[in-house]
Structure formats: C-alpha cells, structure tokens
Amino acid sequence: MWSSRLPFSLPISPESMAREIAQFERDLAEAETEGGPDSQPMLAARSKLGRACRFVGRVRDAVAVHEQNLSVCVRVLGLDDSQTLAARCDLAWSWLAVGRLADAVVGMERSLADHERVLGADHPATVVARSDLGNALVVAGAFTRAQPLLERALADSERVLGDDHPDTLACRDRLATVHASEGRVGLALKLAKRHAAACKRVLPPGHPDEVTSRSILGIAYRSTGRITAGIAEHRGALADYERLLGPDHPLTIQERVMIGSGYSQAGQHDAGIAALRQAAADLERVLGAGHPSTLISRLSLGIAYGRASRSADAVAVLKQASARCERVFGPDNRVTLGARGTLAAAYAAAGRRHKAAALHRKVLAGFERTLGPDHPTTREYRADSE
C-alpha cells in the first residue's frame, strides 16, 4: 500500500501525476539553483521526486534519486537525523519496487534498528518502520519471519497511531496477505473484510489504498473458494487502477494476473491462460524478466496450464520460472520451494513419475529444513506429494 506517504494530491489520474512530477522536477532544479545541491529544500524536493517516481512505476529512476538523497543526508545531516532515517527507508522501498529483495530487507532492517535507537520503540515513525520491514519480508517470501513482526506492528500501530490511521490500514493489509499465503484462509478473509471496510470508511474517494484493499479482499475470497466474489473484487480494482495509474503501471498489470488466476480457478481455462500470458509479457516488458512480480505471474501461468491439462506447457513454463525463483529468492525460500513443488506436480501429470518423485523429495526436505517437520505447510506438502 501507499499509505500516508502518497506523493500526489487527490484526485489522481495519469495526467495529474505527470503534471505533478514535472512540478517536482522544476522544484528540484530551482532548489539547486537557489540553495545548492546540499540545501534543505533540495533534500525535500529530491525526496518528493523519488517517491513520485516510485509511485508511477519509474522504479529505476526512484532508486537513483533516493540513493543520491541518502548519500547527501548522511554527509550533511549525519546518520541519526530524522531526514536521514526517512531517506534510508525511501531507498529501501525503491529497492523493493525494482526487485532488489535482499538489499530491501537489509535496508529495512537497518532503518528499523536506527529508528528504535534514535527515536525509541514506540515512536510513530518506528512503528511504521517495523511494518515496512514486515512488508519487505512478505514480498521476499519470508512469511514465517514476517508474521510475528507484522502482528506486533499492527498492535503497536493501533495503539500509537489509531485503528484508522493509513499506516495501520497498510499493516492490516500486509498481515491479511500473510495469513492467506500461510493457508489461514478464514483469518485472512476476516482481516481483509475489516480492512476493506475501514479503507472505504476513512479514505477519500479515489485513494489508491482503498483500491488495494479490494484487491486483497479478492485474494482472500479466492483462497476460501469464493472465486466469483474474488474475481468481482479484482475487476473493480482493475478498473480503478487503470483509471488512476494507467494500463502499464505494475499494480494494474498485477491485477490482471489476479483476474487470470481467478478465471483459471473457476475452470475458464482459455480465458485464464490468455489473461496470464499477456500479463506476464507486460510485466516482463515493464519490470524485467527477473523481477519478483514477473516471476509470480509466470508461476501463475504455469499453474493455469496445469489446470487445463496442458502438461507440457506447464512443465516448460514452471521449469524456467523455478530456476529464476532460485536466483532471485534463494534456494530455500518459500516461493522457490512452492515453485518447485508445482513443477513436480506438472512432471507427474506429464507422466514423468521418477523426475516428479525426486523433485518432491527435494522440496519436502527443503520445507523440513526451513520450517521444521511439523509445520502445517510441511505436513500439507508431505500429504499432497505422497
């Protein structure tokens, strides 16, 4: 979610965002002319421009701007200044957006440690930093680490910031995602409904966070088997993302992945595969082949091929996606293990029993090693692969 750090005024549209970014760039040039590259107005203008670039999907530009801003903040203001703390967090968010997961997690960890040391554990900015680290861990597939961190962050955020503060809403969103990913579908749906209702109640019309809340609710519905309801939420979110952010924004394209996955779940195989193929191609064009969002879309496409009994296509897509997941997420990451398990199932469906069995054993060993033999995910995988 964008939460309270939204860089643009409402209402939002691609045209209004382009105008405001142009203004941010003019402000930056003016600040440099009047005060020099190290002035306070320059730091503020650079921060706004970096956040705006990230928001509109210009993630590589955002990284460059925030790297420069952090460097200047450290040199001019010192490591413990509040602007330096904010600049470090901004850079970590941009690393996350561009797919540099390890750098993002390390950056968020450093940011949280610095906030706790300088401002204290209960400072509002520290509470937000704790939630931000949880979000980075979710994107990186480290759900086991993310859950307790987000549970604490949500409790702290409700106490310090209030139930309906935008950053509290963002934390609740992330925790609902973790519950859905971990198979706690009833809890995920309950939290997602509460979150969507709060967003609709407290956020102004056209706020991107409210749109994101409906996407999360769609995921929760689909995880509980209410596929039609889930697709309806995703369609509504897609229409708003297209209006707010444009057709090529990563969030817009990712919503098409959700819709394609929903079609596949509902047995509408041709529609699901067509939507997922296009979305995967679009994400690769916009973000690159190795970006986590692109990989997730490829995995979704492979699963859709499997549901349609197109085993050879499923194996081809999942084999490539699994190899890329290992490079991006790491060999024992939950996303990588899930990708390999799905590939093993595709091998079995294609009649390649020995290869499937060998891969199933490797995946099970990975779950036992990383989660333990009695973790619900390990037990579920063991039962499914027998």
Side-chain angles (χ1 to χ4, degrees):
M1 292 183 69
W2 309 110
S3 74
S4 58
R5 285 156 283 184
L6 186 71
F8 299 106
S9 58
L10 295 172
I12 293 173
S13 70
E15 294 76 20
S16 67
M17 288 189 294
R19 287 195 299 270
E20 291 198 47
I21 285 182
Q23 184 60 55
F24 292 151
E25 291 172 334
R26 288 193 293 271
D27 292 344
L28 188 63
E30 183 178 336
E32 184 169 18
T33 299
E34 293 183 355
D38 296 347
S39 66
Q40 285 283 352
M42 186 70 173
L43 294 176
R46 197 182 289 119
S47 176
K48 286 183 180 179
L49 177 59
R51 291 182 181 186
C53 286
R54 187 177 74 239
F55 187 93
V56 301
R58 289 170 49 184
V59 291
R60 294 174 183 83
D61 291 338
V63 168
V65 171
H66 285 309
E67 284 179 339
Q68 183 184 14
N69 208 44
L70 177 59
S71 176
V72 175
C73 283
V74 169
R75 176 167 50 81
V76 174
L77 303 175
L79 289 171
D80 292 349
D81 187 85
S82 60
Q83 281 186 264
T84 304
L85 299 182
R88 191 178 304 283
C89 185
D90 279 335
L91 177 56
W93 269 101
S94 293
W95 280 336
L96 193 66
V98 84
R100 292 170 58 176
L101 301 183
D103 289 334
V105 170
V106 170
M108 294 291 191
E109 289 172 336
R110 171 73 182 276
S111 175
L112 175 57
D114 286 348
H115 276 84
E116 289 177 333
R117 175 175 53 81
V118 175
L119 301 176
D122 271 359
H123 190 279
T126 306
V127 173
V128 173
R130 190 172 294 119
S131 176
D132 287 346
L133 174 56
N135 181 70
L137 291 170
V138 170
V139 176
F143 304 119
T144 302
R145 282 189 63 196
Q147 182 184 339
L149 191 69
L150 287 173
E151 287 174 340
R152 178 184 173 184
L154 179 57
D156 289 347
S157 191
E158 290 173 339
R159 174 172 53 83
V160 174
L161 301 175
D163 283 354
D164 291 339
H165 189 278
D167 284 303
T168 304
L169 300 180
C171 190
R172 198 174 288 133
D173 168 329
R174 295 158 188 167
L175 189 55
T177 302
V178 169
H179 287 319
S181 300
E182 293 283 77
R184 294 183 291 272
V185 294
L187 188 56
L189 181 57
K190 180 179 178 180
L191 199 60
K193 283 183 174 180
R194 179 186 173 192
H195 171 64
C199 285
K200 188 174 183 179
R201 184 177 68 253
V202 305
L203 295 178
H207 196 290
D209 282 2
E210 193 274 327
V211 182
T212 302
S213 74
R214 283 185 275 127
S215 178
I216 298 297
L217 182 57
I219 294 171
Y221 275 136
R222 290 194 294 114
S223 70
T224 60
R226 298 174 60 180
I227 301 170
T228 302
I231 292 174
E233 295 293 342
H234 289 311
R235 282 175 173 164
L238 174 62
D240 282 343
Y241 277 142
E242 288 177 332
R243 175 175 53 82
L244 295 172
L245 305 175
D248 268 358
H249 193 280
L251 283 180
T252 306
I253 303 170
Q254 288 171 46
E255 206 59 32
R256 296 193 192 107
V257 174
M258 300 297 181
I259 292 174
S261 295
Y263 287 150
S264 175
Q265 280 181 278
Q268 301 177 43
H269 300 303
D270 290 344
I273 288 170
L276 287 166
R277 286 180 63 183
Q278 185 61 57
D282 288 342
L283 284 171
E284 184 166 344
R285 171 174 52 82
V286 171
L287 296 175
H291 192 280
S293 296
T294 306
L295 296 180
I296 297 301
S297 71
R298 292 290 180 190
L299 292 174
S300 299
L301 176 59
I303 292 170
Y305 277 133
R307 287 190 178 124
S309 299
R310 293 174 57 174
S311 302
D313 290 326
V315 166
V317 170
L318 291 169
K319 186 176 180 180
Q320 182 185 62
S322 297
R324 288 178 176 173
C325 282
E326 183 169 350
R327 290 195 297 272
V328 172
F329 292 99
D332 282 343
N333 184 273
R334 296 283 292 280
V335 176
T336 303
L337 293 173
R340 286 176 177 167
T342 306
L343 174 59
Y347 278 137
R352 301 168 67 175
R353 303 290 181 181
H354 293 297
K355 198 167 187 65
L359 188 53
H360 275 311
R361 287 194 294 270
K362 289 182 179 179
V363 173
L364 180 58
F367 279 127
E368 290 176 338
R369 184 168 55 251
T370 57
L371 301 177
D374 293 327
H375 189 278
T377 299
T378 305
R379 291 202 304 268
E380 182 180 356
Y381 186 81
R382 186 183 296 115
D384 289 344
S385 60
E386 288 177 350

